[in-house]
Amino acid sequence: VVAAWVLTMLHSVPGSPHAPSGGSSRRSLRPGGRRNQALGVSSVSSPSLFSPASRRNSGVLSARGTPTRVLHHPSGSETVNYDVKAFGASLPVKVIEALRMADADDFLSIQLDESGWAWLVFRDRLIIWKISQSVAKLSVCKELQLPPSDYLQSSSLVAISCLTLPGETSLQSVSVMVATCEGSVRYWPTLTHESSFTETFVDFGGALCSFLTTVKGVSFILSSSRSQFMRLTPDSTAKIQQHGLPQGQGMFSGIGRKVSSLLGILSPSNDAALSSILWDRRNSRFYAMTSSNLHKWEIDDSMERLILSWDMNRVLRENIMDAIWV
């Protein structure tokens, strides 16, 4: 999984994830972003399941005699398509209403979590719901108020901690943390009381926040665009404790910078733009990738240890030079 994530990010071109909320860089989820493209009930009320389908099945009739909708995957090969089929229960009413109310200039952002929860960020609202695989079962849905911000709100700055077992739904065991680009943090210890939350502020020295990630237990890591990382841990009173992740040379700190540089192992640079992050839940590893570096931490309940900081550009450049001169 980690290797696939690294390769995917190496081939992607990082863009600017944030823009002032009043600017013209807002994007719409609708194709073309035109106002006259209304969303019908059938297009937004039912979640869809994507599955591979061969090109020869394009345009064939389904068992009910209706054409199968096929979407071409933008990063797939020319011979791979995906069938779009209805999956699970309909979307909650709050989600459908938000999609209907969205203008062409509105920026909508959504995330799906492996715990079965999903959330939609729409203007200053956060709509979070439990995905139900049963058509007959209604989805649990809550709406939360996001902290004020001068920038576009993003679902990548929302994280949940769910302590229930898979398949269970308990609002009392689900906590939510959100952050703004400026560093304002709001935390709900439980979803049973939407008006009960605590707040704090994380100062990254002017850098904008890019990602918020759930790690061990009820603990989160906030990442800035300049590759700065702050761990946020609410205590028993919901007060948020914060401390920065170590930024040294990890296990190679004792061998000296000159030797470590020959191995392509360097300290994280705050000048490198952060491209992506990854939390390896099984091995309790936190990865961060910039435009040129890959960093890796071991995370336990209360401490973190940087075990790798690798300069990919340096290693690739030196290997290419060696190949040319051999």
Side-chain angles (χ1 to χ4, degrees):
V1 174
V2 174
W5 170 75
V6 171
L7 291 175
T8 301
M9 294 311 303
L10 282 174
H11 286 85
S12 65
V13 179
S16 176
H18 311 292
S21 56
S24 61
S25 60
R26 291 191 174 200
R27 295 177 293 166
S28 171
L29 291 182
R30 304 179 187 177
R34 293 175 293 187
R35 294 179 181 270
N36 59 355
Q37 292 179 333
L39 292 175
V41 175
S42 61
S43 65
V44 298
S45 61
S46 298
S48 297
L49 177 66
F50 290 77
S51 59
S54 61
R55 181 176 293 275
R56 63 176 179 273
N57 290 331
S58 300
V60 298
L61 296 180
S62 65
R64 296 184 179 180
T66 57
T68 301
R69 293 186 298 164
V70 179
L71 297 181
H72 184 69
H73 195 277
S75 62
S77 65
E78 291 298 321
T79 60
V80 177
N81 294 286
Y82 287 80
D83 273 333
V84 182
K85 299 180 181 180
F87 171 77
S90 300
L91 292 173
V93 175
K94 291 181 181 293
V95 178
I96 299 176
E97 289 178 348
L99 295 177
R100 287 186 177 279
M101 292 172 56
D103 296 326
D105 294 333
D106 283 323
F107 177 77
L108 295 96
S109 181
I110 190 171
Q111 291 276 356
L112 305 177
D113 189 75
E114 61 183 16
S115 63
W117 289 89
W119 54 89
L120 169 70
V121 172
F122 170 56
R123 297 176 183 170
D124 60 348
R125 299 158 54 191
L126 170 64
I127 304 174
I128 179 171
W129 72 98
K130 178 73 172 181
I131 300 174
S132 175
Q133 298 185 19
S134 173
V135 177
K137 186 176 181 181
L138 295 177
S139 299
V140 178
C141 182
K142 288 287 185 177
E143 181 175 330
L144 305 175
Q145 183 72 31
L146 295 171
S149 174
D150 292 333
Y151 293 82
L152 294 174
Q153 306 275 19
S154 172
S155 61
S156 62
L157 286 173
V158 178
I160 69 169
S161 176
C162 183
L163 301 181
T164 57
L165 297 175
E168 295 183 356
T169 301
S170 176
L171 294 178
Q172 191 171 2
S173 61
V174 177
S175 58
V176 180
M177 181 176 287
V178 302
T180 65
C181 294
E182 297 94 330
S184 297
V185 176
R186 183 172 292 181
Y187 173 70
W188 289 265
T190 175
L191 279 180
T192 55
H193 303 290
E194 298 95 324
S195 59
S196 178
F197 57 83
T198 58
E199 293 184 319
T200 189
F201 183 81
V202 177
D203 185 6
F204 281 129
L208 297 180
C209 300
S210 297
F211 301 101
L212 182 63
T213 312
T214 306
V215 289
K216 298 280 289 187
V218 186
S219 184
F220 307 86
I221 293 179
L222 182 61
S223 311
S224 81
S225 58
R226 295 180 183 173
S227 303
Q228 301 158 291
F229 307 93
M230 190 72 67
R231 187 168 182 180
L232 309 175
T233 306
D235 58 20
S236 57
T237 63
K239 183 178 180 181
I240 303 173
Q241 308 294 331
Q242 55 177 286
H243 65 269
L245 267 64
Q247 300 273 310
Q249 297 177 15
M251 65 176 65
F252 297 95
S253 58
I255 65 177
R257 182 172 181 86
K258 182 177 294 185
V259 176
S260 63
S261 65
L262 295 177
L263 301 175
I265 303 164
L266 298 174
S267 301
S269 172
N270 291 342
D271 297 328
L274 183 64
S275 299
S276 182
I277 52 89
L278 175 69
W279 167 242
D280 181 2
R281 184 188 303 270
R282 176 178 298 180
N283 299 309
S284 297
R285 303 287 192 272
F286 180 75
Y287 296 83
M289 178 176 286
T290 70
S291 54
S292 61
N293 302 309
L294 175 65
H295 312 306
K296 175 182 177 182
W297 288 266
E298 282 184 345
I299 307 291
D300 61 23
D301 292 334
S302 59
M303 297 184 63
E304 313 81 25
R305 186 168 69 96
L306 180 67
I307 59 177
L308 176 66
S309 188
W310 186 41
D311 188 336
M312 295 176 291
N313 281 352
R314 180 188 296 271
V315 173
L316 291 174
R317 183 170 59 250
E318 291 177 351
N319 279 275
I320 292 175
M321 293 178 62
D322 291 341
I324 292 175
W325 291 106
V326 168

